[in-house]
Amino acid sequence: MKLITTLSGYPELQEIDAIWSGYDEPLAAKGAELAANAASSLKIEADAGPEAFQPYLDAVGLILLHLPVFTDGRPYSLAAMLRQHYRYAGEIRVFGDVRREQLDHLHRCGITSFVLNQDEDAASALGQIGYFSKWYQPNISA
Amino acid sequence: MYQYNEDDRLFLQQRCEQFRDQTTRFLAGTLPAEEFQQLRLRNGLYIQRLAPMLRIAIPYGLVSAGQLRALAGITRDFDKGYAHFTTRQNIQLNWPKLEAMPDLLSRLAEVDMHAIQTSGSCIRNITSDQFAGVAADEVADPRPWAELLRQWSTLHPEFNWLPRKFKIALTGAASDRAAIAVHDIGLRLQSDADGLYFEVWVGGGLGRTPLIGVCINPHLEPKHLITYLTAILRVYNQFGRRDNKYKARIKILVKAMGKIDFEAAVNAAWQALKDGPETIPEGSIEPLQSHFSRPNYLTLNPAPSSRTIATDQPFERWRAQNVLPHQQPGYAAVHISLKRKGIAPGDVSDRDLEALADLAERYSFGEARVTHEQNIVLADVEQTKLPELFQALGQHNLDRANRGLATDMICCPGGDYCSLANAKSIPVAAAIEETFQDPEAERLLGPLTINISGCMNACGHHHVANIGILGVDKKGQEFYQLSVGGEPGDQARIGRILGPSVARAEIQWVVQRLTQCYQQHRDDAETFNQTLDRVGIETFKSAAYEGLTS
Ligand code: SF4
């Protein structure tokens, strides 16, 4: 799997073997909030409501957002809400049907790393983040 | 009008290059078709019945003489020398070639124009009152706010993949010429002792489920405009239906949640944004306002207004029908009809576009406006130059005196061009036109709206017409469903279906019988809808179907 991460301040390409790479396998069971820590990850589906993530936010280090199909706009708003509403400061990683044309937008909504759809050409995807020199909206990731 | 700066131009240039790369990859087979489809839609390109169709944005209807001239050149070099004005202040080309699209978009960018977000499930072209800044009934000029929203909505990273298309309209006048009640978001700029504020309407729309919007915030301080709209869009993006495209518009969500719950959800989302970085800082709208400052009007005396109209004089008739009052003494706003005999409603040739550019330059400070009724307005004409302008318009077949009358029909491209159509609409407009041969009879009939859509999508706004005509498919045959009693504007309401649909050959006679029925029953100066409401739909129905067997 190809991962693009912007955590160092600029986009970098990494090869990973699991979408939660760098963290523990996503928490699943109810009540797991007690066990959550900085190495924990949490998987959120596109239709998730706040109850699916709110109890964990203070502890987990990685939130995995699912983009079921590239035309689905919900993860963009979820990411923006996690940053603006819930003040989540950890890593947000998107996985699923993640294509190069989406990266810049996803990034500006507060997403910091991207597991690419396997058909995407990783090298050209890398150049997409920061493609535009001018935006009309503030950058939530910044 | 708004003048692009270096950043705006660089942005547009990069967008063009991005699309060029996408098109090249698609043509080389390395960008999947289903993905390219979404990307090209967001650059205004549809694949239509016969060829691609490009929809170019004219933000809130404002266009310069230079832009009109560039459009004329583009229709010649990339198309067949004509174009079509739509009901959403856009202009469409019907025959561009996909391979030529990147060059075409670059040509547009040279005159600060684009086709960004004129289609696809995203925020569409922002529309407004065609008389903004000059209307005698204006509370405040909506254009700086419209430009602010244009910028904010352009490639908004969070809202590029909405459940469905999203249309925003705003007005700053006492009477609503922007149809805010039938938009996803409608904004009305008002003022009270504390200054300006917005009334925010949500969930209106036409199409399959026509609905009048609801007001979810009667008093929004302008500084909160962006954060509040972001909250609305965020709620919609998360909870709008994505499983059924016919139920995906925000109006369905508002209806399903109910006004109270929807309003509460928006307020909850707003709390995280309110007073945040996107709050409009004090003093920051003024620079935008300066782009829309009043032109250098001369100090003139107003022409005497209260004189009898000699309706046998073509100029007087045109003046009475097509010339509108202006804020500035001695000036008038002139309505130019694009509803001409033998030409599809809203269509213009390259020569027409050039003529309009010349006239805008000569008589109206080099600017023109596009209306959602598919006409053109020259907003700042000296009253003493009206006879001269009328003559010049006549030389280009642009002098028809039918503003707001029966032949000023709104009509979508329909089955002649549009791949979604059930039936043709342009020939229907032409057939109805045939029944109004005598301009004096049409004038005596008075204000009347007849709108035609080729399918449920209602691009022709048939629901809000006094007489609405909708193309339907009846076992492979083109039929038309009629509705009556719709109303655009302030008192917006949806028309009621009259009865069974009728065949193409009958439609013009049915419309004629409806107008005759109105004339026969009306009291004094009653409008069509007033008469309809008083005598009842049954009277109109039996008149309409008289002698029809099907
Ligand atoms: S109303 Fe239907 S036929 Fe007419 S332009 Fe819209 S989609 Fe096409």
Side-chain angles (χ1 to χ4, degrees):
Chain A
M1 270 179 264
K2 298 270 190 298
L3 177 82
I4 290 180
T5 167
T6 59
L7 287 176
S8 60
Y10 52 91
E12 286 176 302
L13 191 61
Q14 286 173 11
E15 187 67 41
I16 54 168
D17 46 18
I19 57 169
W20 55 85
S21 170
Y23 296 84
D24 296 342
E25 204 166 328
L27 297 168
K30 278 213 163 68
E33 63 263 39
L34 301 174
N37 61 60
S40 304
S41 69
L42 180 70
K43 197 153 92 179
I44 299 181
E45 288 303 323
D47 60 358
E51 66 287 351
F53 50 79
Q54 212 173 356
Y56 309 92
L57 291 180
D58 287 341
V60 300
L62 172 70
I63 286 182
L64 288 156
L65 276 182
H66 187 206
L67 179 65
V69 49
F70 75 96
T71 51
D72 195 327
R74 291 173 296 181
Y76 297 79
S77 279
L78 277 170
M81 278 176 57
L82 281 167
R83 298 293 189 212
Q84 293 181 321
H85 199 138
Y86 297 99
R87 307 278 158 202
Y88 175 72
E91 184 173 355
I92 304 180
R93 185 178 295 175
V94 64
F95 69 100
D97 192 9
V98 180
R99 307 183 186 205
R100 65 185 255 190
E101 307 295 344
Q102 269 75 48
L103 296 182
D104 216 4
H105 284 70
L106 288 164
H107 180 240
R108 294 188 71 89
C109 288
I111 292 170
T112 37
S113 57
F114 314 82
V115 183
L116 290 180
N117 173 321
Q118 56 178 9
D119 298 330
E120 281 304 305
D121 172 39
S124 32
L126 211 52
Q128 285 301 307
I129 297 175
Y131 171 84
F132 283 101
S133 338
K134 147 118 196 155
W135 284 87
Y136 291 103
Q137 307 80 13
N139 187 356
I140 297 176
S141 276
Chain B
M1 62 193 278
Y2 180 70
Q3 301 297 320
Y4 271 38
N5 59 33
E6 284 316 304
D7 278 351
D8 296 319
R9 294 215 171 88
L10 178 61
F11 169 82
L12 214 47
Q13 192 192 333
Q14 290 180 333
R15 178 70 170 174
C16 288
E17 281 161 19
Q18 186 187 48
F19 186 68
R20 189 179 292 277
D21 171 61
Q22 290 163 349
T23 308
T24 309
R25 281 189 288 138
F26 168 69
L27 292 172
T30 57
L31 182 63
E34 94 272 2
E35 188 176 352
F36 182 65
Q37 178 194 30
Q38 295 298 326
L39 302 172
R40 68 164 160 75
L41 284 173
R42 282 159 182 77
N43 284 289
L45 187 67
Y46 281 79
I47 302 296
Q48 284 291 35
R49 179 156 287 193
L50 305 161
M53 180 273 277
L54 177 69
R55 184 180 293 150
I56 299 162
I58 300 178
Y60 39 94
L62 236 54
V63 64
S64 71
Q67 290 173 332
L68 286 168
R69 240 174 240 124
L71 286 170
I74 286 171
T75 67
R76 267 196 298 273
D77 297 346
F78 292 90
D79 205 294
K80 298 186 177 178
Y82 69 98
H84 171 77
F85 285 107
T86 76
T87 53
R88 291 207 75 257
Q89 298 178 318
N90 294 308
I91 185 168
Q92 289 177 183
L93 301 183
N94 287 307
W95 313 95
K97 294 205 174 41
L98 174 59
E99 307 74 54
M101 275 293 295
D103 289 341
L104 200 171
L105 292 180
S106 299
R107 276 274 291 275
L108 280 176
E110 284 171 18
V111 288
D112 304 339
M113 293 188 88
H114 62 74
I116 296 171
Q117 290 167 217
T118 53
S119 54
S121 296
C122 51
I123 304 174
R124 301 289 188 85
N125 188 26
I126 308 291
T127 56
S128 188
D129 183 352
Q130 62 265 26
F131 297 113
V134 303
D137 68 343
E138 190 161 271
V139 176
D141 188 346
R143 292 172 300 171
W145 302 99
E147 174 57 25
L148 186 77
L149 292 182
R150 182 194 73 82
Q151 297 187 10
W152 164 75
S153 61
T154 298
L155 252 61
H156 196 296
E158 191 179 338
F159 305 129
N160 203 27
W161 303 95
L162 296 171
R164 203 71 173 87
K165 58 188 169 186
F166 201 93
K167 301 172 178 177
I168 303 177
L170 74 169
T171 178
S175 65
D176 170 21
R177 286 171 289 263
I180 63 162
V182 291
H183 277 77
D184 296 291
I185 292 180
L187 298 166
R188 186 194 283 272
L189 197 50
Q190 301 272 44
S191 94
D192 62 12
D194 297 328
L196 292 178
Y197 65 92
F198 284 101
E199 230 174 71
V200 184
W201 292 69
V202 173
L206 300 175
R208 194 168 288 256
T209 316
L211 284 170
I212 301 295
V214 293
C215 179
I216 61 161
N217 193 332
H219 194 287
L220 179 72
E221 275 183 76
K223 68 174 179 180
H224 298 309
L225 183 63
I226 298 295
T227 55
Y228 193 76
L229 293 199
T230 302
I232 296 175
L233 265 300
R234 192 170 280 179
V235 169
Y236 171 55
N237 196 27
Q238 270 185 295
F239 302 113
R241 284 181 63 171
R242 290 172 185 269
D243 59 330
N244 179 344
K245 77 171 198 176
Y246 299 120
K247 299 203 184 306
R249 296 289 290 270
I250 196 174
K251 61 189 172 187
I252 305 289
L253 179 67
V254 174
K255 203 166 171 232
M257 290 176 79
K259 174 178 173 310
I260 308 236
D261 284 357
F262 183 80
E263 208 178 300
V266 169
N267 280 329
W270 190 33
Q271 287 321 306
L273 301 161
K274 195 179 172 192
D275 299 317
E278 287 196 272
T279 305
I280 301 162
E282 188 125 5
S284 73
I285 195 75
E286 283 75 7
L288 271 182
Q289 270 161 349
S290 70
H291 288 265
F292 303 95
S293 56
R294 294 164 71 81
N296 293 321
Y297 292 127
L298 303 171
T299 312
L300 301 170
N301 291 321
S305 58
S306 62
R307 35 183 190 146
T308 43
I309 296 152
T311 50
D312 55 335
Q313 296 286 317
F315 170 70
E316 291 296 334
R317 186 157 54 218
W318 174 80
R319 182 192 177 112
Q321 201 62 44
N322 285 29
V323 176
L324 289 115
H326 198 285
Q327 291 173 359
Q328 179 71 17
Y331 282 81
V334 169
H335 179 106
I336 300 173
S337 176
L338 297 181
K339 313 300 168 63
R340 302 174 285 173
K341 280 198 170 64
I343 300 174
D347 271 19
V348 281
S349 69
D350 55 337
R351 302 256 173 263
D352 291 336
L353 287 165
E354 280 161 349
L356 289 167
D358 291 346
L359 296 174
E361 244 156 26
R362 219 170 333 139
Y363 297 103
S364 196
F365 298 96
E367 275 178 35
R369 286 113 182 274
V370 178
T371 80
H372 85 262
E373 294 94 353
Q374 306 172 286
N375 294 304
I376 297 287
V377 164
L378 295 184
D380 298 291
V381 181
E382 288 172 41
Q383 284 176 334
T384 53
K385 299 214 168 130
L386 288 170
E388 202 181 308
L389 171 59
F390 176 68
Q391 260 206 335
L393 287 170
Q395 288 163 10
H396 301 282
N397 184 25
L398 289 165
D399 60 345
R400 194 165 188 194
N402 65 344
R403 185 188 66 87
L405 299 181
T407 57
D408 189 5
M409 284 173 271
I410 294 179
C411 175
C412 82
D416 288 292
Y417 297 103
C418 177
S419 53
L420 302 169
N422 287 324
K424 292 190 177 185
S425 42
I426 295 169
V428 173
I432 295 172
E433 167 79 58
E434 284 294 305
T435 65
F436 289 98
Q437 290 291 350
D438 177 10
E440 184 56 13
E442 188 188 5
R443 195 185 67 79
L444 291 172
L445 178 62
L448 186 73
T449 49
I450 303 175
N451 297 355
I452 311 165
S453 304
C455 79
M456 285 288 204
N457 284 320
C459 303
H461 298 181
H462 64 277
H463 297 108
V464 290
N466 301 153
I467 300 175
I469 300 167
L470 164 67
V472 291
D473 180 275
K474 231 185 186 179
K475 301 198 189 89
Q477 303 257 21
E478 290 183 328
F479 269 69
Y480 297 87
Q481 185 185 73
L482 282 125
S483 55
V484 290
E487 183 81 41
D490 292 317
Q491 308 299 322
R493 63 178 207 186
I494 308 289
R496 291 163 63 193
I497 293 170
L498 189 66
S501 53
V502 299
R504 166 105 72 84
E506 293 297 334
I507 192 84
Q508 82 235 56
W509 310 117
V510 174
V511 170
Q512 190 178 52
R513 287 193 291 270
L514 283 170
T515 58
Q516 285 164 349
C517 176
Y518 160 51
Q519 273 181 306
Q520 199 185 328
H521 288 95
R522 80 169 154 198
D523 275 347
D524 301 328
E526 258 183 354
T527 64
F528 182 90
N529 283 354
Q530 286 164 342
T531 305
L532 175 73
D533 293 348
R534 185 171 51 75
V535 306
I537 193 170
E538 286 306 320
T539 307
F540 279 79
K541 186 173 173 177
S542 45
Y545 291 100
E546 203 180 273
L548 275 186
T549 46
S550 61

